[in-house]
Amino acid sequence: MSKEHPVIVVTGSSGAGTTFVKRAFEHIFDKENIKPLIVEGDSFHKYDRVAMKQAVQEQKEQGNNFFSHFGPDTNLFKKIEQAFKDYGTTGECDRRYYIHSDSEALEHNTNLGTNLNPGEFTPWEKVGKGTDLLFYEGLHGAVVADDVDMAQYGDLKVGVVPSINLEWIQKIHRDNAERGYSAEETVDTILSRMPDYINYITPQFSQTDINFQRIATVDTSNPFIARDIPTPDESLVVIHFNDLEKTPVDFTQVKTIIEGSFMSRRNTIVVPGNKMGLAMEVILYPIIHSLIANK
């Protein structure tokens, strides 16, 4: 962790809680007066919203029901790897935005003088000059497969991965609330993503330095009929460290600060779900401080 231009990666599947983790990092950045270059994983999708729907339909007509946002055919894996490599070397890289909403479209069109709609991409730009580190958050940040090795360029890699049933419950409820999908439609999406999930999402968590895994303490045995998402008070968070020399942590301090936490293994601590944000700050703050201090 002595790189001049550090690269921090937060990776996890849709609905896993990476946005929550992003907020915790932003709080630390503000506290340390760190200026990050934010890079969003969605911006590396190969297709915009309309083109993706067309591609999915074409693949189904050809008998392929497993064409998803999780795989290499729909993402610019090499472009992600190149962005990490370029930033680590020069402090700059190519970036664009995927526009999610009308408000984002208005913001980017105002800034860029464009006329883009939700579901489209902004143009690629060379960015990063004057920033302290690159912060990536998205589906793929530590993929090692075929001719791609993103993980080698991440100075700190954090995985966010709820138990699979909890992840499905969160996705079903989110898709219904935000997109109007029925539970059946979301289940079809989950099924179509499964091969790519197994081959390209799950293996990343063996590459990450720290994993935050939320586990429900209530019954989630049938996620497809669950009426509610388990609350933080109904959850525990398992925090695992891959290499304590690379990411040292004072477990005694964490247990003292966070009531109800306990060690389950020499490199794993469990905290109450409603203390996840506090745990992240206590654990990650000194690591990021060291990362920046060693630049």
Side-chain angles (χ1 to χ4, degrees):
M1 285 192 171
S2 59
K3 208 166 187 177
E4 184 178 355
H5 307 290
V7 173
I8 295 179
V9 170
V10 174
T11 190
S13 59
S14 299
T18 52
T19 302
F20 175 85
V21 178
K22 179 181 177 183
R23 292 195 197 102
F25 269 99
E26 289 173 343
H27 190 207
I28 296 172
F29 295 155
D30 288 341
K31 197 173 182 179
E32 280 285 282
N33 198 28
I34 293 170
K35 184 179 180 181
L37 171 65
I38 306 295
V39 176
E40 300 173 353
D42 288 353
S43 66
F44 293 94
H45 288 328
K46 185 176 180 180
Y47 301 101
D48 65 22
R49 188 176 296 169
V50 173
M52 183 62 182
K53 288 182 179 179
Q54 293 174 341
V56 168
Q57 185 58 40
E58 290 172 1
Q59 289 296 316
K60 283 184 177 180
E61 291 173 358
Q62 296 173 25
N64 179 11
N65 293 315
F66 302 108
F67 189 76
S68 82
H69 269 128
F70 283 12
D73 294 331
T74 57
N75 290 281
L76 305 174
F77 281 0
K78 292 296 290 185
K79 191 77 173 177
I80 300 174
E81 181 187 49
Q82 192 65 47
F84 294 171
K85 181 180 180 180
D86 288 347
Y87 188 88
T89 303
T90 69
E92 295 184 88
C93 68
D94 288 340
R95 182 187 67 179
R96 68 177 177 181
Y97 291 100
Y98 176 80
I99 302 175
H100 296 88
S101 62
D102 289 332
S103 61
E104 288 186 10
L106 177 61
E107 177 186 353
H108 292 303
N109 287 333
T110 300
N111 292 336
L112 299 172
T114 52
N115 187 28
L116 299 168
N117 298 306
E120 298 179 336
F121 299 105
T122 65
W124 289 104
E125 298 179 280
K126 183 73 70 176
V127 294
K129 189 174 182 180
T131 58
D132 297 309
L133 56 79
L134 182 150
F135 179 82
Y136 168 96
E137 179 262 320
L139 289 172
H140 310 98
V143 173
V144 178
D146 303 323
D147 61 342
V148 173
D149 184 353
M150 303 173 198
Q152 66 179 312
Y153 298 112
D155 295 284
L156 175 63
K157 300 180 289 292
V158 177
V160 187
V161 48
S163 60
I164 191 68
N165 281 19
L166 178 55
E167 181 176 335
W168 288 345
I169 290 172
Q170 290 179 159
K171 178 165 178 56
I172 290 168
H173 281 257
R174 188 194 66 174
D175 282 1
N176 176 259
E178 296 181 8
R179 302 170 184 174
Y181 293 175
S182 66
E184 291 75 16
E185 289 175 311
T186 301
V187 169
D188 286 342
T189 300
I190 290 171
L191 289 172
S192 70
R193 291 176 169 181
M194 193 53 61
D196 286 334
Y197 184 93
I198 292 170
N199 291 316
Y200 298 100
I201 302 297
T202 302
Q204 294 183 98
F205 304 119
S206 295
Q207 302 291 334
T208 43
D209 302 305
I210 308 173
N211 286 328
F212 290 81
Q213 183 176 26
R214 184 172 165 226
I215 297 173
T217 55
V218 294
D219 183 26
T220 61
S221 52
N222 187 348
F224 306 112
I225 64 170
R227 294 185 178 183
D228 303 297
I229 300 174
T231 67
D233 289 332
E234 299 170 327
S235 309
L236 294 172
V237 177
V238 178
I239 308 170
H240 171 80
F241 299 81
N242 184 48
D243 183 350
L244 288 172
E245 290 188 7
K246 180 179 180 182
T247 53
V249 58
D250 187 338
F251 289 116
T252 301
Q253 180 192 39
V254 176
K255 288 193 292 180
T256 300
I257 294 175
I258 302 179
E259 184 179 355
S261 61
F262 61 91
M263 301 288 296
S264 59
R265 288 188 176 178
R266 61 170 292 276
N267 60 351
T268 306
I269 189 167
V270 182
V271 303
N274 58 9
K275 300 295 185 182
M276 181 176 173
L278 176 60
M280 291 190 65
E281 290 204 31
V282 171
I283 290 167
L284 294 171
Y285 179 84
I287 295 172
I288 295 173
H289 180 84
S290 175
L291 188 66
I292 293 296
N294 289 330
K295 284 179 60 177

